[in-house]
Amino acid sequence: LLESLLDQFKMNAKNFRIDKQTNIARNIARTLAVKEGSQMEEKEMKHLLEELFQCAQPARSIYGGRTWVTIDDADIDKKFNH
């Protein structure tokens, strides 16, 4: 865990112009994040969403990626019926 944090810190310091405190916070967040494909109970999912919406910028990840997308009924229909 510590090695992973240090490696990520070094990479961020090289690739991004961010202060040390932000770099450390990003590394901890990334390391402790729920990993893709993880199984979660409904209660855990609700709690995670509550925490997300308490963030200053809930629509973006720490690296600028989107944290959610909106899909309307027509898009869902296209995905499953065509």
Side-chain angles (χ1 to χ4, degrees):
L1 177 65
L2 189 55
E3 276 186 41
S4 173
L5 284 170
L6 290 172
D7 290 342
Q8 191 68 37
F9 182 86
K10 290 175 189 176
M11 186 182 80
N12 286 347
K14 189 167 104 173
N15 296 330
F16 302 104
R17 295 181 183 178
I18 55 175
D19 61 80
K20 288 179 183 179
Q21 185 176 1
T22 301
N23 193 352
I24 291 169
R26 283 184 178 189
N27 288 324
I28 291 170
R30 184 178 184 116
T31 301
L32 298 178
V34 176
K35 304 302 181 231
E36 184 178 345
S38 297
Q39 296 293 318
M40 297 176 71
E41 299 290 328
E42 184 175 346
K43 185 177 178 179
E44 293 173 302
M45 290 184 264
K46 286 180 179 179
H47 180 73
L48 187 60
L49 285 173
E50 289 169 2
E51 287 185 333
L52 173 65
F53 287 111
Q54 290 177 16
C55 295
Q57 297 179 1
R60 295 287 170 189
S61 74
I62 58 174
Y63 293 102
R66 297 185 300 183
T67 57
W68 76 79
V69 295
T70 302
I71 302 173
D72 61 29
D73 291 344
D75 290 333
I76 292 172
D77 189 49
K78 287 179 193 174
K79 296 279 187 198
F80 290 98
N81 294 318
H82 292 124

